[in-house]
Amino acid sequence: MNTKSIMIVGVGGQGSLLASRLIGNVLLAQGYDVKVSEVHGMSQRGGSVVTYVKYGDEVFSPVIEKGEADVIISFELLEAARWVPYLKKGGKLITSTQTLDPMPVITGAAEYPAEIVSKLEALGITVTAIDALKLAEEAGNAKASNVVLMGKVASQTDFDDKLWQDAIEQCVPPKFLELNKKAFELGKNA
Amino acid sequence: MKKLMLGNEAFARGLYEAGVTVASSYPGTPSTEITEYTAKYDEVYAEWAPNEKVAMEVAIGASIAGSRAFCAMKHVGLNVAADPLYTVSYTGVNAGLVIAVADDPGMHSSQNEQDSRHHAIASKVMMIEPSDSAECKDWVKKAYDLSEEFDTPVIVRMCTRVAHSQSSVELCDRVEPAQKEYVKNAQKYVMVPANAKVRHPFVEERTEKIRKYSENCEFNKVIDNGGKIGIITSGISYQYAREAMGDKASYLKLGIVNPLPVELIKDFCAKYETVYVIEELDDIIETHCKALGLDVKGKELFGYIGEFSQAVVAEKLLGEKNEFASFPENVPVRPPVMCAGCPHRGLFYCLSKNKVTVSGDIGCYTLGASAPLSSIDTTICMGASISALHGMNKARGAEFEKKSVAVIGDSTFMHSGITGLVNIAYNATNSTVIILDNSITGMTGHQQNPTTGKNLKGDPAAAVNLEELCKAVGIKRVRVVDPYNLAETEAAIKEELAAEEPSVIISRRPCALLKYVQHKPALKVVNDKCKGCKMCLKLGCPAISVKNGKAVIEHTQCVGCGICTEVCKFDAISE
């Protein structure tokens, strides 16, 4: 099969590394060749962060360029707007409705755009928006919104649920396992 | 067993499987995780050294003593370690010695975009360049054999996209090579002129031997798809080229990037009508080809700046561009910021308020340069804050001294700040140096350092006492402040700037992201009291914004550090 591309975007500190590892492990268990590209260091300090996941028979480049992503998963609305040019025509966008003001908005140098979801839909994009933060808090910790979103992703793909459960067990420390499994279920059913 | 591994994790696995027993590194994005993962193998001794020069010298010592040894650094770290590198090239090794250097094209987390291949060429050291995690692991293992066979250190060149991408790796068992005998050999290891003069011809001969090896070896691979287009490439650029061009081109993928083969390249070029060289950063392969009289195209199309991608290759070679839709409005940028609760914020707020000139350094606190604090005037390299401040003060004199400081983190101070401070004491400027001691190496993701009292494995270790160290080099005025206490911090800055002698302020509070740091509940704005004056916004805290004319604190981000309560004149922020 041709290589498929998934992008995970958000704000440094929101947990996109864990999300990409979950997907990466599910895809590897599914028998695909997989590449997951992360950026560490300075951009993790509250900057815009992006992670690429690519899979297929044989994946070469680990990065995704404009117009190439089959799916974009966004942890924050402004980041969905920022990275939407990377979506392929007919691609899907799954986003949390959480908003976090970047520093230019905080200082008043720029404005946070209004009605982001409807403006994205007006571009002809299929947008699935869920309040992942609220569901994560319901699961017990606001930090689990990354896993809530993965639950939503799982509900839209046809990979075996067991693969997701195994991946969560592999990637999450034991003491946060129950919390994350609950967050995953809440996302799946959202 | 197949496993998804980061390039850096696979590199560490390669070290383990190769039977390495000593590893010494200094953290630096994107190289840091190699050594962190290495430390997880009990069979390997791994440590954080105070800087890259020390790390490399430790590895050299271990190699001479007979154990397979390793050190890692980022590209700019190799500048710090360049001194031992250029001479270990002459001595060669006893047991294998591998040096990892990670370049950062696109500068995701670096102050420049230098190409480390120049160091390999200049020091005449063999360099190999893997293009994915599987190659990281397998090639590192082979690098140890080559190091011992050719009596040379081997540099493994990484880049961000290889170091920080995961791909599948097949795990193997560790081999345990017997420790080599240590025999005193002054002609080989004492590089006084008489001995070095004998070793230099050896180095030149070795380069030719490795070049011959590179003409026909498993690292340099031809993928012949016929056709008219040939592409010479290496590392991550190969992956971009292969994805963009598929079967439409043939490839010469170079795994050994120093020394470069001659006949292999000539033969490849002879087969194709047009040959492109695709390499990020500088034109090393292209220049080599052109020196051989070969007609290749490279930088005229691709340039010297930033990262490439499959889209860049497709556009330049095929004229193809992807279609995409953009958000119809301006999307505000989201630069990295100091975290909510960051202890550096209080200090920079005080410096910014008093319009102090700030000679900056490398670390999280470089973010003090960003608006609204906009506090930092210069950032050059590790340690330069202190030495450059001394230079500024010598150039501009007493008035300037009273309005200027250096800021440097605890880890960076140990790395190369201390020598600058010795210079201030010795050559006498009334400089004010602020050590931002957050009890960890922050930006690279929380590595221990000689001031933290723990080693790489997390075990208790000797801790440098910064106050005593500063006094010992000749600074009499040394004081400690808590940067969460703005009044105390501001008073200390004013007093030390006014003092007629050099001084050090240690701004001490642990990084807010450290697991042992207890956070207070998020603070709240009392709407009745908030006048919307926006004083709190001057802190540049990502948790505080103004909505409908009133300050709002984002409860998922606020860690209750409380410095906003100190700047609010209306008592409008409370628990």
Side-chain angles (χ1 to χ4, degrees):
Chain A
M1 67 171 262
N2 288 335
T3 299
K4 295 266 186 195
S5 302
I6 301 172
M7 266 170 90
I8 302 169
V9 302
V11 178
Q14 280 192 306
S16 59
L17 290 190
L18 173 64
S20 66
R21 278 169 195 196
L22 288 179
I23 299 188
N25 276 295
V26 167
L27 294 167
L28 190 74
Q30 194 68 225
Y32 292 113
D33 186 31
V34 182
K35 281 189 177 166
V36 179
S37 188
E38 312 162 346
V39 170
H40 299 216
M42 192 175 248
S43 41
Q44 277 185 296
R45 299 283 170 265
S48 170
V49 292
V50 54
T51 305
Y52 310 114
V53 180
K54 293 174 79 169
Y55 64 103
D57 292 336
E58 191 177 9
V59 180
F60 293 104
S61 165
V63 303
I64 298 171
E65 271 279 12
K66 285 181 180 164
E68 290 183 353
D70 295 280
V71 181
I72 293 180
I73 301 157
S74 176
F75 291 15
E76 199 272 348
L77 276 181
L78 186 66
E79 295 310 307
R82 182 186 321 284
W83 294 100
V84 75
Y86 285 72
L87 202 60
K88 194 183 263 180
K89 229 178 168 179
K92 276 190 215 170
L93 174 71
I94 299 170
T95 183
S96 169
T97 53
Q98 190 179 357
T99 61
L100 288 169
D101 287 353
M103 202 45 70
V105 171
I106 289 176
T107 60
E111 257 186 66
Y112 198 103
E115 307 290 332
I116 289 179
V117 172
S118 56
K119 283 171 191 163
L120 288 169
E121 282 171 335
L123 296 172
I125 293 161
T126 317
V127 183
T128 306
I130 62 167
D131 192 343
L133 180 62
K134 197 180 112 205
L135 294 171
E137 282 174 339
E138 208 174 295
N141 192 329
K143 290 210 167 87
S145 51
N146 53 355
V147 179
V148 171
L149 274 171
M150 289 305 104
K152 191 73 213 166
V153 172
S155 75
Q156 300 207 351
T157 50
D158 44 14
F159 302 128
D160 190 346
D161 189 62
K162 170 131 194 343
L163 297 181
W164 286 99
Q165 300 297 335
D166 289 350
I168 293 173
E169 276 168 30
Q170 264 175 41
C171 300
V172 172
K175 68 172 172 176
F176 298 116
L177 200 57
E178 277 318 301
L179 168 84
N180 279 288
K181 284 193 163 179
K182 193 173 171 198
F184 185 79
E185 287 306 313
L186 286 170
K188 217 162 70 177
N189 301 320
Chain B
M1 176 191 145
K2 269 203 169 174
K3 204 180 162 215
L4 212 49
M5 279 185 158
L6 271 184
N8 282 349
E9 186 182 4
F11 198 126
R13 179 74 194 187
L15 297 172
Y16 164 78
E17 290 180 9
V20 169
T21 57
V22 178
S24 182
S25 303
Y26 185 79
T29 313
S31 72
T32 311
E33 301 83 6
I34 303 175
T35 309
E36 289 183 319
Y37 280 110
T38 302
K40 294 185 182 192
Y41 296 106
D42 289 336
E43 294 86 344
V44 190
Y45 168 76
E47 66 177 25
W48 291 129
N51 66 32
E52 295 86 354
K53 178 177 184 289
V54 173
M56 190 180 290
E57 290 157 353
V58 169
I60 290 169
S63 158
I64 292 173
S67 293
R68 285 190 164 183
F70 172 72
C71 61
M73 58 209 65
K74 66 185 291 172
H75 58 331
V76 286
L78 190 57
N79 304 339
V80 178
D83 200 358
L85 174 70
Y86 283 62
T87 300
V88 75
S89 171
Y90 278 37
T91 66
V93 305
N94 181 15
L97 172 62
V98 167
I99 298 156
V101 59
D103 285 5
D104 189 16
M107 291 179 278
H108 296 280
S109 203
S110 301
Q111 68 270 39
N112 75 27
E113 208 171 11
Q114 73 184 45
D115 187 328
S116 294
R117 292 178 297 174
H118 291 293
H119 270 309
I121 296 167
S123 65
K124 301 170 194 274
V125 169
M126 180 179 192
M127 178 182 256
I128 63 175
E129 185 177 21
S131 71
D132 62 15
S133 298
E135 284 182 355
C136 285
K137 197 209 75 168
D138 294 342
W139 288 13
V140 164
K141 277 168 81 177
K142 285 173 195 148
Y144 278 94
D145 296 336
L146 294 174
S147 169
E148 288 166 6
E149 183 186 339
F150 291 109
D151 191 9
T152 181
V154 177
I155 304 173
V156 180
R157 182 190 187 216
M158 302 285 281
C159 71
T160 302
R161 296 299 181 185
V162 173
H164 287 164
S165 291
Q166 301 177 53
S167 56
S168 67
V169 175
E170 193 78 47
L171 304 187
C172 307
D173 292 332
R174 177 174 164 96
V175 292
E176 290 281 1
Q179 191 172 51
K180 302 226 171 191
E181 200 185 344
Y182 173 71
V183 183
K184 181 168 173 165
N185 184 349
Q187 285 76 26
K188 188 171 187 308
Y189 296 118
V190 180
M191 285 301 95
V192 292
N195 292 340
K197 278 177 189 168
V198 179
R199 292 300 292 180
H200 190 185
F202 165 80
V203 171
E204 301 302 329
E205 285 161 25
R206 180 182 70 199
T207 299
E208 276 319 298
K209 273 189 199 161
I210 300 173
R211 193 188 306 285
K212 276 199 190 102
Y213 169 82
S214 78
E215 300 287 0
N216 182 14
C217 70
E218 59 192 302
F219 294 95
N220 295 338
K221 195 168 76 174
V222 174
I223 299 147
D224 190 353
N225 294 318
K228 293 178 179 172
I229 299 174
I231 293 173
I232 305 175
T233 182
S234 72
I236 195 67
S237 298
Y238 162 75
Q239 305 289 5
Y240 299 147
R242 186 75 195 265
E243 179 154 325
M245 301 298 288
D247 297 342
K248 292 190 207 97
S250 295
Y251 306 87
L252 171 56
K253 175 177 180 292
L254 296 171
I256 299 176
V257 291
N258 188 57
L260 288 165
V262 172
E263 297 307 322
L264 183 63
I265 289 177
K266 280 187 182 168
D267 291 349
F268 182 80
C269 288
K271 282 203 229 164
Y272 307 97
E273 221 171 88
T274 312
V275 176
Y276 298 99
V277 176
I278 303 182
E279 55 186 327
E280 283 179 337
L281 303 180
D282 292 342
D283 51 354
I284 307 272
I285 302 172
E286 182 180 350
T287 303
H288 174 75
C289 292
K290 288 184 170 163
L292 296 173
L294 299 167
D295 179 24
V296 296
K297 291 185 174 59
K299 291 299 167 192
E300 63 197 271
L301 290 168
F302 291 97
Y304 297 83
I305 299 164
E307 292 186 292
F308 298 166
S309 69
Q310 60 277 13
V312 170
V313 176
E315 190 188 337
K316 301 292 179 191
L317 301 194
L318 302 171
E320 290 175 1
K321 268 187 166 179
N322 292 329
E323 276 182 47
F324 58 86
S326 293
F327 193 71
E329 290 171 26
N330 173 48
V331 178
V333 294
R334 189 186 300 273
V337 290
M338 282 186 270
C339 307
C342 177
H344 303 330
R345 176 170 291 107
L347 179 86
F348 282 115
Y349 174 76
C350 295
L351 291 173
S352 178
K353 187 180 163 195
N354 288 282
K355 299 190 171 56
V356 176
T357 298
V358 178
S359 178
D361 223 297
I362 306 286
C364 281
Y365 46 93
T366 313
L367 295 169
S370 311
L373 294 164
S374 307
S375 177
I376 291 177
D377 290 64
T378 61
T379 298
I380 312 293
C381 67
M382 296 283 284
S385 58
I386 299 179
S387 9
L389 174 68
H390 177 76
M392 286 171 145
N393 288 342
K394 283 289 181 196
R396 300 197 71 90
E399 278 312 300
F400 195 84
E401 281 176 346
K402 297 204 183 307
K403 291 296 280 181
S404 61
V405 300
V407 293
I408 185 166
D410 48 332
S411 186
T412 309
F413 181 70
M414 293 313 300
H415 177 283
S416 47
I418 183 72
T419 42
L421 190 65
V422 169
N423 193 43
I424 282 174
Y426 174 52
N427 288 313
T429 43
N430 291 337
S431 297
T432 304
V433 172
I434 304 176
I435 302 174
L436 294 91
D437 179 8
N438 64 350
S439 309
I440 203 73
T441 312
M443 179 60 84
T444 44
H446 286 177
Q447 288 74 34
Q448 303 297 337
N449 69 55
T451 70
T452 63
K454 283 187 180 162
N455 64 22
L456 168 54
K457 298 246 184 197
D459 297 328
V464 170
N465 181 319
L466 286 173
E467 294 91 313
E468 294 304 319
L469 178 62
C470 295
K471 285 178 192 161
V473 306
I475 308 294
K476 296 190 187 95
R477 296 181 70 97
V478 179
R479 62 197 284 181
V480 180
V481 296
D482 176 359
Y484 275 5
N485 185 334
L486 298 182
E488 177 197 26
T489 302
E490 187 172 2
I493 293 168
K494 284 182 173 167
E495 282 169 33
E496 297 314 321
L497 282 172
E500 296 293 337
E501 60 178 306
S503 51
V504 170
I505 302 170
I506 299 169
S507 171
R508 179 170 286 151
R509 181 165 277 270
C511 171
L513 298 183
L514 281 166
K515 287 208 174 84
Y516 66 78
V517 172
Q518 298 285 322
H519 292 162
K520 290 188 183 157
L523 298 170
K524 292 189 187 92
V525 176
V526 184
N527 263 347
D528 296 350
K529 291 188 180 174
C530 177
K531 308 281 184 223
C533 72
K534 299 187 180 176
M535 263 308 282
C536 51
L537 294 189
K538 292 193 173 173
L539 293 167
C541 176
I544 310 176
S545 55
V546 168
K547 299 234 160 80
N548 304 321
K550 302 274 184 189
V552 180
I553 295 177
E554 167 65 41
H555 73 284
T556 58
Q557 294 218 44
C558 176
V559 297
C561 78
I563 61 169
C564 52
T565 63
E566 296 174 65
V567 299
C568 180
K569 290 176 184 145
F570 305 102
D571 228 4
I573 301 172
S574 71
E575 282 176 20

